[in-house]
């Protein structure tokens, strides 16, 4: 548990960091929702604020005066416990409250909460603030990926930044890390913050396996494309094959072939593919198909967690073969916060690691990220394993 | 044909009027497209500008330097002749060009064109400018109705104006106007501007009929609702019945029942229904069902045109029983402008008159407006007829 | 009004004729519904029977014992007045009642009704029997076209008959029939049977026009295909263009290109296209696009009716430019039979004439057939007109 | 490996058993496909035959004369390797080949194969025949469940049999079986037949757990319904909650509330719910929600496999919490048979056990059945576990 000063400063820094991510945006960029999974930046700003207001200020501060009673309806995400919420697909039609108003809402709640915390930081409240901070850090990452989608699907392909380097090259030589069979411990066990889905340290038996010390590069993935990987059903799950055909998918997201050369939309605009950089913005279906084509496989999340000490990670979320399921001792949190993780534990795959846009101090080696297998607007990459 | 000064001043006034409609908007209001038929205000601003640039400046001014070569792709609407256009449903995801940039684009084209016209106003160009002006006036009306939709579907129900009165009460006593049977002339025949779909003066035989001098009021329509009109299939077309059930339609658009009293969202915000005001925001299906319930019918567009001298009109677009079809001597214009009307002449109904948000000097008694029968975001009303 | 013997014999012949259409079917052919518009033959057999049972026997014969009380639910089509009906798209999943059972139901109702009519043929009942006969004749035509669809979309392309010739060649030389402008009378005016949508003789003013004495042939239509007619948006309605692209339509229904030669599925199986035969199985969108390509147009239903004496018709339903709308004196019939026509008078086009599978004595020159503009499983053809 | 006589007799018995399942059907029952997952019985008959023809006779018997070269196209299911197949949703529109023809096809292939096997039963062929037999046994189970769906969704609710008892009551008292923590072996390890997804005996570490010796009964499940289980989002996955609301699900499949009493459609027709019988026809979402409501959970497939010796099973397929994933040593079979299992290993849940309609000698304790979480037309039930 952090001491008061530390937690308040952490809270304030997190609030500022969120706003810094949005600094390059025009007013208009804040509003739209081009696909269901991409929320308007304005909504992220409001929703992370609502979280602190709803779960702390309104519960613990009897003197708290709500900023606007309608905002709960607008900025709730998926917490059924808290009341009506607007349909998710309607988020992108909300022109009011304005961006300016949302920033006022942010300031108001940030100030109210930091004042309140000065005198009222019980352990219970501290724990809620910590959750709220991590919740906001998750949305910081989503802000990055949603902004990239909004700009990267605009025909003008505007730049987000001239300096943000998203392609972090791994210099090491590729080699296999061997892990011997045995019973290993899995899950979060320190006093540091974690989400409920990581809890319940438990044992998993792993057979001998090897895992690569390096992510798959664009160059390696291009060989798969050039070898007709997207045209050969043998490498694909039946549902993956249907998905690439229904959506005429022939390359990772943000890839464009111009004058017969592959380019990639990045935060710095459209650039020729960097062959040495790790592949990114692939779906699980593509990651799996690539592995099949290589005659190899993706690691399980347990294999990843056990071996993670032997390689660098954090550049790309790494698809695992594991489905997102509860750990043996999983208990969902009480109340609305219990909706955070458990109710999504079906039809999704686990990703491990972290990415170039994951907030500092947010991820850890026990962290379990999860997405549907067809999604690829996150910075997702491929690490291979084998027996 | 207007003389030079007149046409330039008309052009400039039209450009200003468009921008005045948008004056009450926040930056964010310009961007979204909540349903396919409602375009973002920013898009209307750009598209009406593109029309002058594409069809006049780029064709007739060899010195013209395009503002931005990508805007053609962004601001084309449905002109297949002019090249690729973005998918209509994607208009609402275009955060760039920014509102500011679009206004710059407007200013640039407005200035270039008015300078160009000073010395080059041939009859051919004059006729294109006139079309462009009327095209922009059509979009002025759409701006009003699209803005109403954007604000009226926001949970905060923001006001557009504190003074704009959209409910224009008709004071006259209701009575039937009798028109004797005979052959009547239909269509536009003066030298004034009109669209190609009004042209080809021709004869239509009409049997004796009576047409009301007054639009149906909210009070009259409420009786239909209260009598279970929305629950009795006998009054509805099969497709209308399917439509109200699939969309759980129980009242006109923008009607809300609050504490057992009907309210209506207006440009001035949410207000109790004004019983004396004409009903508005009904679909053709509802207009037809209402007439059936009354044992009466909607007039045809020919009956309307012949009788229009005997009543006031222009408060509401009036659904007619006529399908939108070519007149006997219809010829579609050459080139891209030929796509203006003809290709929509199937599956739509004709509306006559004009509405409270129709631009001045834009409508006339031969004007043929047309919409699909289920649409109701326009200011649409009901006038009845009988034998 | 027919006298008793005549009407009973007419009734019995109609019942037999329906069953003869189904004679070449296997038991399995009776059951399926490959698209929403194509009903299972078994359903047609039951539904035409239910019509006599529901509207005559159950209403007028107090001693009548219903064959099976659940059949009303199964064999109602679109009569909302008569109670619950199964969803239209579920008709093709009804394996019970069996074909045999449905034939028993037919025999039972045929016998009950013919016995009942012997002693009870009032004018009112006679009129209902006549409607029932014509209703069944309509379904005889649908049986033909639905059977063609069921067989013609089976990969085995089974034959329906070795002798049924559906391609009736017109031998006459093509020429234009000139009709002078004037006021003409339209609509049904004799005492013979007709549907309510033909009634109300009334006047229509027609301007000078010319109409072809001959339907468009396969050869003529092939020129349109070979000239890229399906690839040029200029010839198409916007909705027609969307339709051909969404469904990758490149030729009329039942056309197959095999080894670079066009073939057509017919009741006699797959055959090379007969160039001299009239084109058939085209949608209104295709008929319109063909006319546009020729620089001509489709006639209105009024032009067709006025000129019909000067050409042969009845080989193909002919698309007209007219929308399906009520005549000036249209009154829908009372009760459930009022649902026969009126409620479909929106979004459909009128077809005139009759086809090679229209039952004898069923069509007439005032007959108004109607279908949605994209449908083409009927025997539909093209006749052109011009000023 | 079975000796020749044994395998041929096994083959012949399997072929007969399939046909016996279909004995109560009318000709029409064989044809329809009411939902995508339910195939027409005729298709099952053809497809299981095609399997033997395609993978054995056509590969190994150079003298084999194909029954009909078009059948491969019609009766392929999902084997992309073998060529074009008709769209799955079109299976239900295939009225030809007729049922009679399909039975001839069956007899032809059965005879050809049994003759061929007399002299050519190599180990390789024997292994393929064995796969074919098990493949056909899988389809025997699907025949039962698909027939139940076809009849159970017919408004006449016809009986399949007067004697087939699908509700097998468990008489034992409910109690918890305790399994101590440790490393357990999982997977198929004998020489008997199994599918590739069971192979690769491997170790799994399990923590202490308890598993019920008894399936949940209708009575227990009714308490969940009566307690509002279908109206409380807390018990449901987010996707499960969306699913029950989109489909207005309020009870298991085949349950009907009549005069305030719950009934269930069974092979013997509509019957009042038997309170003592195990619940069946629930989706994974419902099984999970029920467990949540009880404060308990579903077992993993490994917990089930380790404990299975201590309880009876085989009455109902039992949903597990496990996602369908490859075992550590999973290798998909070479060639087309490799498409049997591996390509479905995403987005599905594992079911263990077997059901009242599973063919004799077909299931075993290592058998991994798998379905999407919303499906419930199989005989699926609930067994609970806890720490």
């Amino acid at each position: 548990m952090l001491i008061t000063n530390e937690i308040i400063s952490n809270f304030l820094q997190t609030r500022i960091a969120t706003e810094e991510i949005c600094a390059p945006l025009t007013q208009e960029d804040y509003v739209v929702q081009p696909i269901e999974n991409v929320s308007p930046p304005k909504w992220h700003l409001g929703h992370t604020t609502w979280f602190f207001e709803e779960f702390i200020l309104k519960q613990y501060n009897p003197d708290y005066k709500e900023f606007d009673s309608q905002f709960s309806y607008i900025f709730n995400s998926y917490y059924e416990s808290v009341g009506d919420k607007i349909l998710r697909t309607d988020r992108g039609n909300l022109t009011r409250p304005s961006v300016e108003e949302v920033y006022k809402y942010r300031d108001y709640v940030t100030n109210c909460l930091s004042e309140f915390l000065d005198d009222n930081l019980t352990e219970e409240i501290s724990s809620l603030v910590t959750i709220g901070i991590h919740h906001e850090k998750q949305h910081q990452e989503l802000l990055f990926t949603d902004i990239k989608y909004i700009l990267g699907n605009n025909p003008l392909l505007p730049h987000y930044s001239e300096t943000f380097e998203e392609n972090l090259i791994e210099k090491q030589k590729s080699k296999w890390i061997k892990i011997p069979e045995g019973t290993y411990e899995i899950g979060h066990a320190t006093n540091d913050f974690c989400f409920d889905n990581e809890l319940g340290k438990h044992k998993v038996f792993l057979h001998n396996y090897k895992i690569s010390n390096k992510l798959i590069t664009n160059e390696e993935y291009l060989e798969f494309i050039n070898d007709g990987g997207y045209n050969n059903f043998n490498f694909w799950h039946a549902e993956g094959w249907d998905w690439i055909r229904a959506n005429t998918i022939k390359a990772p997201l943000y890839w464009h072939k111009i004058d017969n050369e592959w380019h990639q939309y990045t935060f710095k605009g459209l650039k020729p593919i960097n062959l040495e950089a790790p592949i990114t913005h692939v779906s699980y279906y593509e990651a799996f198909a690539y592995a099949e084509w290589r005659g190899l496989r993706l690691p399980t999340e347990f294999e990843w967690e056990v071996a993670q000490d032997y390689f660098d990670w954090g550049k790309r979320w790494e698809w695992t073969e594991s489905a997102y399921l509860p750990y043996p001792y999983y208990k969902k949190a009480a109340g609305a916060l219990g909706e955070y993780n458990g109710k999504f534990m079906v039809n999704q795959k686990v990703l491990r690691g972290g990415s170039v846009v994951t907030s500092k101090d947010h991820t850890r080696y026990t962290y379990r990220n999860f997405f549907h297998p067809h999604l690829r607007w996150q910075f997702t990459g491929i690490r291979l394993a084998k027996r």
Side-chain angles (χ1 to χ4, degrees), chain A:
Chain A
M1 190 61 59
L2 295 170
I3 58 166
T4 310
N5 277 354
E6 231 174 309
I7 206 164
I8 294 180
S9 113
N10 200 341
F11 166 68
L12 293 172
Q13 281 166 29
T14 303
R15 300 291 284 173
I16 289 165
T18 302
E19 289 157 24
E20 281 171 352
I21 293 168
C22 297
L25 301 186
T26 66
Q27 208 102 332
E28 297 89 338
D29 294 333
Y30 283 94
V31 183
V32 302
Q33 180 179 27
I35 53 168
E36 198 192 342
N37 287 89
V38 168
S39 292
K42 193 172 74 172
W43 186 87
H44 286 297
L45 295 179
H47 170 68
T48 47
T49 302
W50 165 86
F51 193 98
F52 288 110
E53 183 185 51
E54 180 69 36
F55 294 121
I56 305 179
L57 285 169
K58 284 167 72 177
Q59 310 301 323
Y60 295 92
N61 184 355
D63 299 333
Y64 178 68
K65 211 172 138 272
E66 216 176 343
F67 182 78
D68 187 318
S69 64
Q70 290 189 282
F71 280 21
S72 176
Y73 174 73
I74 291 172
F75 292 122
N76 185 357
S77 52
Y78 52 74
Y79 298 85
E80 305 272 357
S81 327
V82 183
D84 282 347
K85 59 183 199 304
I86 63 163
L87 283 178
R88 193 164 183 198
T89 43
D90 260 358
R91 281 184 196 166
N93 298 322
L94 281 176
T95 66
R96 316 283 182 97
S98 67
V99 173
E100 200 187 333
E101 189 77 356
V102 172
Y103 274 111
K104 276 190 200 148
Y105 175 45
R106 280 187 73 80
D107 286 352
Y108 178 80
V109 169
T110 302
N111 292 335
C112 288
L113 186 59
S114 70
E115 275 172 36
F116 176 70
L117 295 182
D118 277 343
D119 300 325
N120 300 277
L121 201 62
T122 62
E123 208 158 307
E124 184 180 347
I125 290 175
S126 167
S127 140
L128 284 170
V129 175
T130 305
I131 290 174
I133 288 169
H134 282 281
H135 173 255
E136 183 145 349
K137 283 173 188 254
Q138 285 189 312
H139 281 276
Q140 287 170 1
E141 175 156 7
L142 289 171
L143 269 168
F144 273 116
T145 55
D146 293 2
I147 289 168
K148 183 169 180 184
Y149 196 94
I150 289 167
L151 302 181
N153 284 279
N154 186 301
L156 305 177
L157 295 173
H159 300 197
Y160 168 75
S161 146
E162 300 311 322
T163 54
F164 192 111
E165 184 51 62
E166 63 187 59
N167 284 311
L168 306 179
I169 295 170
E170 296 189 304
K171 296 295 188 193
Q172 73 272 30
K173 258 195 147 158
S174 170
K175 68 172 187 205
W176 292 107
I177 299 156
K178 294 186 199 180
I179 307 288
E181 87 167 33
T183 304
Y184 291 91
E185 294 216 314
I186 293 292
H188 192 90
T190 72
N191 285 328
D192 293 349
F193 173 83
C194 74
F195 286 110
D196 61 2
N197 61 2
E198 305 163 54
L199 282 173
K201 198 167 183 65
H202 63 284
K203 292 182 195 147
V204 164
F205 186 90
L206 298 178
H207 289 263
N208 290 324
Y209 68 100
K210 303 191 187 73
I211 188 166
S212 175
N213 71 327
K214 202 173 167 180
L215 295 169
I216 295 303
T217 64
N218 286 327
E219 184 168 25
E220 290 171 299
Y221 197 84
L222 255 174
E223 288 171 40
F224 169 67
I225 297 180
N226 293 335
D227 193 41
Y230 281 91
N231 304 317
N232 187 334
F233 65 86
N234 275 305
F235 307 133
W236 299 82
H237 285 105
E239 294 184 13
W241 184 242
D242 291 346
W243 172 76
I244 63 168
R245 287 193 300 182
N247 298 282
T248 49
I249 305 264
K250 295 168 182 303
L253 185 62
Y254 298 124
W255 282 40
H256 302 271
K257 207 172 197 169
I258 300 170
D259 296 339
N260 224 25
E261 212 186 328
W262 282 108
H263 291 67
Q264 182 191 19
Y265 175 76
T266 70
F267 282 125
K268 299 196 238 175
L270 198 68
K271 301 288 177 199
I273 290 293
N274 182 334
L275 292 173
E276 288 176 275
I279 182 75
T280 193
H281 294 301
V282 287
S283 65
Y284 163 75
Y285 292 130
E286 289 164 297
F288 176 87
Y290 176 79
E292 283 284 295
W293 174 75
R294 287 280 300 271
L296 301 168
R297 63 178 179 84
L298 303 176
T300 65
E301 63 169 320
F302 311 109
E303 289 172 338
W304 190 98
E305 186 168 327
V306 166
Q308 56 80 29
D309 240 8
Y310 301 103
F311 53 77
D312 272 344
W313 50 265
K315 291 174 184 65
R316 300 285 179 261
W317 285 108
E318 306 179 19
W319 286 111
T320 73
E321 184 53 42
S322 298
Y324 182 44
L325 294 173
Y327 280 176
Y329 295 102
Y330 175 67
K331 271 212 181 81
K332 71 176 179 186
L337 290 173
E339 296 189 49
Y340 211 100
N341 278 302
K343 74 179 185 183
F344 300 112
M345 289 178 174
V346 68
N347 290 335
Q348 310 216 32
K349 301 297 280 189
V350 173
L351 300 101
R352 290 299 195 101
S355 88
V356 65
V357 294
T358 306
S359 299
K360 257 179 213 154
D361 306 324
H362 180 61
T363 193
R364 58 203 154 263
Y365 75 88
T366 58
Y367 194 103
R368 306 175 77 200
N369 203 349
F370 52 92
F371 285 104
H372 284 99
H374 68 288
L375 292 174
R376 47 189 207 160
W377 96 111
Q378 296 301 302
F379 285 86
T380 47
I382 308 173
R383 183 185 304 279
L384 296 181
K386 64 177 179 180
R387 280 295 133 220

